[in-house]
Amino acid sequence: MKTSFYFVLYFFIYPILGQFNNSFINNNAFVIALAIVWGLSWLINKIMPKTLVYERATQVFPILEDVYTGNVASFKKKLARRAFLEVITAIYFSITTLVIAIAVVKFGVNDWISLAIFLFFTIATVSRSSILLKATTQLKGNPTPEQCMEIVDETYKLDYNSYFEMRSMAAYDEIFPSKPTFFKVFIIFSIIIAIIVAFFGLYLCIIDGFVLLTFQTLEIPDEELAFAGMYFLYGTLAAYYGIKDIISCIRSY
């Protein structure tokens, strides 16, 4: 399923955990909610493998086909787009981690687990963005099919040799996995969820952004402003992945 779907699950599960009269659950609701979402993600992946294989093919096969046909311009465009999105994601997680760190260290917000999780994601996204930027620079300096093949193997970690063997014996449409029966239903459902998440994220951005910009000069405790800043950043993340998933679903459709 798309990232936005798990946003919906998280925002549905997290308030429910707050209803339990248990200090352990209340103090660790963030981590427990993430663990439940992760478990449901694993279960969903087991239930609908054909849909996930097909969706994966819609993302990977065009890249491998560019290498096979020697279409460097198309490959370069896809690589640049992915690098740009990864850089934006890395910037977001870096800023969010900084804001959470300030809230925890300076204002005493008890959110060390969230800080640790966001720090982990920050390191991961910064690492991925630097790898993609390096690949973009390499391709710009050496725009050849051979360089594209090297990037596919070393950066994307895709098995081009297996694709080459299949492609050399059949046309592109023939090797592409067959579309699952309910794939259109899956895409429409994913688009609806992504739209909901995008609007919810924009709502948080507007509300908390209004608090930050309008009331920062008033006598509002710094702790509340810190929380507003955190929720504003959470809103931008939801809006970003909602919009990203809408575009992804339209392309897969």
Side-chain angles (χ1 to χ4, degrees):
M1 298 296 287
K2 299 294 185 180
T3 306
S4 52
F5 173 75
Y6 296 110
F7 268 105
V8 172
L9 278 181
Y10 177 82
F11 285 120
F12 178 75
I13 294 171
Y14 187 80
I16 293 177
L17 294 176
Q19 302 301 315
F20 286 89
N21 188 21
N22 184 289
S23 59
F24 176 80
I25 294 178
N26 292 335
N27 293 334
N28 299 281
F30 180 85
V31 177
I32 295 174
L34 284 181
I36 295 174
V37 170
W38 181 87
L40 291 174
S41 170
W42 178 86
L43 181 62
I44 291 171
N45 290 341
K46 291 294 182 181
I47 293 174
M48 46 192 303
K50 291 183 179 179
T51 298
L52 297 177
V53 167
Y54 181 83
E55 186 182 22
R56 171 70 173 169
T58 63
Q59 299 170 359
V60 170
F61 273 42
I63 296 173
L64 296 171
E65 184 67 11
D66 283 344
V67 179
Y68 182 81
T69 58
N71 193 341
V72 178
S74 178
F75 183 90
K76 184 178 181 180
K77 184 178 179 180
K78 291 183 178 69
L79 177 63
R81 181 171 60 242
R82 181 166 179 175
F84 173 77
L85 291 175
E86 200 63 51
V87 168
I88 294 298
T89 305
I91 292 173
Y92 163 81
F93 275 108
S94 298
I95 295 174
T96 303
T97 302
L98 178 62
V99 171
I100 295 176
I102 293 174
V104 170
V105 176
K106 186 176 181 180
F107 301 122
V109 177
N110 186 20
D111 212 4
W112 286 98
I113 296 178
S114 298
L115 176 60
I117 292 174
F118 270 86
L119 180 60
F120 170 79
F121 282 120
T122 298
I123 294 172
T125 54
V126 169
S127 176
R128 284 198 302 267
S129 62
S130 63
I131 291 173
L132 288 169
L133 288 175
K134 180 180 178 181
T136 303
T137 302
Q138 291 174 338
L139 185 59
K140 184 177 181 180
N142 182 30
T144 62
E146 291 74 20
Q147 185 63 54
C148 293
M149 189 183 306
E150 182 178 334
I151 291 172
V152 161
D153 291 335
E154 297 183 1
T155 303
Y156 284 113
K157 305 297 182 183
L158 299 176
D159 186 3
Y160 176 71
N161 290 332
S162 296
Y163 181 85
F164 178 83
E165 292 178 1
M166 292 189 299
R167 186 66 174 83
S168 60
M169 295 185 293
Y172 179 77
D173 293 340
E174 294 175 350
I175 67 172
F176 206 91
S178 58
K179 183 180 293 187
T181 305
F182 298 103
F183 186 74
K184 289 185 178 180
V185 176
F186 164 76
I187 290 296
I188 293 173
F189 174 77
S190 298
I191 290 176
I192 293 173
I193 293 296
I195 291 173
I196 293 173
V197 170
F199 274 106
F200 178 73
L202 291 173
Y203 170 79
L204 285 180
C205 290
I206 293 172
I207 296 300
D208 291 296
F210 180 76
V211 171
L212 289 170
L213 296 176
T214 306
F215 297 107
Q216 60 181 342
T217 58
L218 301 180
E219 294 182 358
I220 292 180
D222 290 337
E223 295 87 345
E224 293 187 17
L225 287 176
F227 273 114
M230 290 169 61
Y231 280 110
F232 174 80
L233 291 169
Y234 290 155
T236 59
L237 182 65
Y240 168 74
Y241 277 111
I243 295 171
K244 181 180 178 182
D245 287 348
I246 292 172
I247 297 172
S248 175
C249 288
I250 292 174
R251 287 176 176 166
S252 298
Y253 189 82

